[in-house]
Amino acid sequence: MKFTIDRDTLQKRLTNVQGAVDRHPQLPILMNLLVQAKDGTLFFTGTDLELEIETSVALDEIETGSVTVPARKFIDICNALPEQAIVDFNLDDDKVVVSSGRSRFTLSTMDSSQFPTVDEIGDATSFTVSATAFKGLLTRTRFAMANQDVRYYLNGMLLDIAPQRIRAVATDGHRLALSQIQTVTGVDEAKSVIVPRKGIGEISRLIGSREGEIGIRVGSNAIAIDIEDIRFTSKLIEGRYPDYGRVIPDASKCDKKIKVDRQTFRQCLERVAVLSRDKARAVWMNFGSGILKFKTEETVEREVAEDEMEIDYDGPEFKIGFNIGYILDSLSEIQDDHVDIFLTDATSSCLIQPHDDTDSQYVVMPMRI
């Protein structure tokens, strides 16, 4: 096996697959990348058994073969080489020699036949979608996913795919984020799957600033996404996702609707957050006629932060407590100048959404401060 490639092209491919390499693997070979040359195309593959990333590039001169090399070392070598350098890759018995100019590196290898790959998706639902729109969908909701929750189905994102739209939902049990895009998927009937947290992060990273269409295939136990010369595959989380529709307050039944300037609201929260460094990050919000007042709980040093802002509200005065971080996370994903806040009482969940826009909704449970 032998090929020559320019450093920048190689670096781009290695960067694409590095997210799938397991730093603390169950099997030593999972620390390696699979390098394959066949039919004039060079393939790089990384996997951690749960997800797999494969990328390819066509080369004019290439010797057929396959091998696995230490991923981290190979990537570091490529990064250390000067831009536009020419890289020679040569498999010699059980060693790989990577050379460029006066630099020469000899790497150990492992048998490529032992490299595990994610099973090919069989009967799958397939469609295409705008890369920009799909990444935006994930970005607006991914922050609400749980992390290492015993309720394993919360450690991922629900993708609810219908014939005319795709909806993403994430929750950690304390807050919920929902967003949807209107797009023709062509599916015959609605299909819901749970994509693991790591998989969502890798999809967003791989799409990056790419435009155009991406291809998505959803099977019974895996999802595959084709992004230009990249194929991403991830196993799905088995389990029943919570009925998120029951969690989201019905805006029409909430007797308190408050319209606020998003930037002013966010700045007030950021200021009072300076003195809410405890784990709960609690803040009281006191809604009054035309005024919203903020106040943190007194710290052990007897320190308190207070602030206020004008709001569009003329209902009865009431007070409710929240985790500041949960509110700020939601506001960070809303781009509108104004947001609508829907409330019923101090013990009911709060609904936050862009002004007069229901495609993105954020739910935060109140705190008992």
Side-chain angles (χ1 to χ4, degrees):
M1 179 183 181
K2 184 178 181 180
F3 61 85
T4 299
I5 188 171
D6 69 89
R7 178 261 189 189
D8 297 346
T9 299
L10 177 61
Q11 184 187 48
K12 178 181 177 183
R13 269 62 185 186
L14 296 182
T15 299
N16 288 339
V17 299
Q18 68 179 354
V21 179
D22 198 337
R23 292 182 178 273
H24 306 286
Q26 304 173 37
L27 304 170
I29 200 168
L30 295 180
M31 295 182 69
N32 281 20
L33 287 180
L34 174 64
V35 184
Q36 297 173 294
K38 55 185 178 181
D39 301 326
T41 303
L42 183 62
F43 297 88
F44 298 96
T45 307
T47 183
D48 64 0
L49 297 181
E50 295 300 318
L51 62 83
E52 176 183 287
I53 301 174
E54 178 190 89
T55 186
S56 61
V57 58
L59 295 179
D60 292 333
E61 296 183 13
I62 187 170
E63 266 186 26
T64 300
S66 64
V67 68
T68 77
V69 294
R72 190 68 264 161
K73 293 176 183 177
F74 191 24
I75 292 169
D76 287 346
I77 288 170
C78 182
N79 291 340
L81 293 174
E83 294 182 5
Q84 301 179 342
I86 300 300
V87 181
D88 292 315
F89 184 104
N90 185 24
L91 174 60
D92 185 8
D93 292 329
D94 62 345
K95 299 290 184 182
V96 158
V97 177
V98 179
S99 56
S100 179
R102 297 182 179 181
S103 302
R104 178 184 173 92
F105 307 88
T106 302
L107 296 175
S108 62
T109 66
M110 297 183 73
D111 185 359
S112 61
S113 66
Q114 302 301 311
F115 190 83
T117 57
V118 175
D119 294 337
E120 188 68 27
I121 296 179
D123 186 21
T125 298
S126 303
F127 57 92
T128 61
V129 64
S130 160
T132 303
F134 190 69
K135 181 182 178 180
L137 185 70
L138 305 186
T139 300
R140 291 190 295 272
T141 52
R142 58 182 291 191
F143 68 86
M145 288 185 291
N147 187 18
Q148 297 183 332
D149 197 295
V150 293
R151 297 164 293 181
Y152 56 92
Y153 46 83
L154 297 184
N155 300 318
M157 179 182 293
L158 178 74
L159 292 181
D160 189 356
I161 304 161
Q164 301 293 326
R165 59 114 179 106
I166 304 174
R167 178 178 293 161
V169 183
T171 181
D172 60 6
H174 301 288
R175 35 91 177 269
L176 178 145
L178 176 151
S179 189
Q180 63 184 17
I181 54 175
Q182 306 301 321
T183 184
V184 178
T185 64
V187 301
D188 296 329
E189 57 184 34
K191 186 179 185 72
S192 295
V193 295
I194 308 173
V195 183
R197 179 188 182 91
K198 181 178 178 180
I200 293 297
E202 285 302 308
I203 294 170
S204 296
R205 181 183 70 86
L206 292 170
I207 293 177
S209 59
R210 288 178 172 85
E211 299 179 350
E213 299 282 306
I214 60 174
I216 299 179
R217 292 181 295 130
V218 182
S220 59
N221 61 353
I223 183 171
I225 300 181
D226 294 318
I227 308 166
E228 295 180 357
D229 56 7
I230 304 167
R231 171 166 293 183
F232 168 90
T233 307
S234 173
K235 292 182 179 180
L236 299 172
I237 296 177
E238 296 182 2
R240 186 177 181 84
Y241 205 78
D243 183 359
Y244 61 87
R246 297 179 58 185
V247 176
I248 301 174
D250 184 342
S252 64
K253 295 181 180 179
C254 294
D255 58 2
K256 301 177 182 67
K257 175 182 176 180
I258 304 101
K259 177 184 174 184
V260 301
D261 180 87
R262 182 183 65 86
Q263 192 64 11
T264 304
F265 188 36
R266 181 178 178 179
Q267 290 170 350
C268 283
L269 287 170
E270 288 174 340
R271 285 193 291 268
V272 297
V274 173
L275 294 185
S276 66
R277 297 303 186 189
D278 61 312
K279 185 177 180 180
R281 301 196 68 192
V283 62
W284 281 110
M285 292 192 217
N286 196 324
F287 293 85
S289 181
I291 292 290
L292 170 57
K293 296 180 180 180
F294 305 86
K295 185 176 181 180
T296 60
E297 284 287 278
E298 188 175 280
T299 66
V300 292
E301 296 87 0
R302 303 187 68 181
E303 297 172 334
V304 176
E306 297 180 71
D307 212 325
E308 63 179 53
M309 64 177 285
E310 295 181 357
I311 57 173
D312 184 4
Y313 175 70
D314 59 2
E317 183 175 334
F318 72 101
K319 189 162 83 170
I320 188 170
F322 290 108
N323 179 306
I324 293 178
Y326 293 166
I327 302 291
L328 284 173
D329 285 344
S330 300
L331 295 176
S332 295
E333 300 307 329
I334 297 175
Q335 303 304 313
D336 292 42
D337 292 336
H338 295 86
V339 298
D340 294 330
I341 302 173
F342 298 90
L343 291 158
T344 301
D345 54 49
T347 61
S348 300
S349 295
C350 165
L351 171 63
I352 303 172
Q353 62 188 36
H355 182 56
D356 291 334
D357 176 11
T358 59
D359 277 347
S360 293
Q361 298 180 309
Y362 301 96
V363 180
V364 181
M365 294 182 64
M367 298 179 65
R368 294 184 178 180
I369 305 176

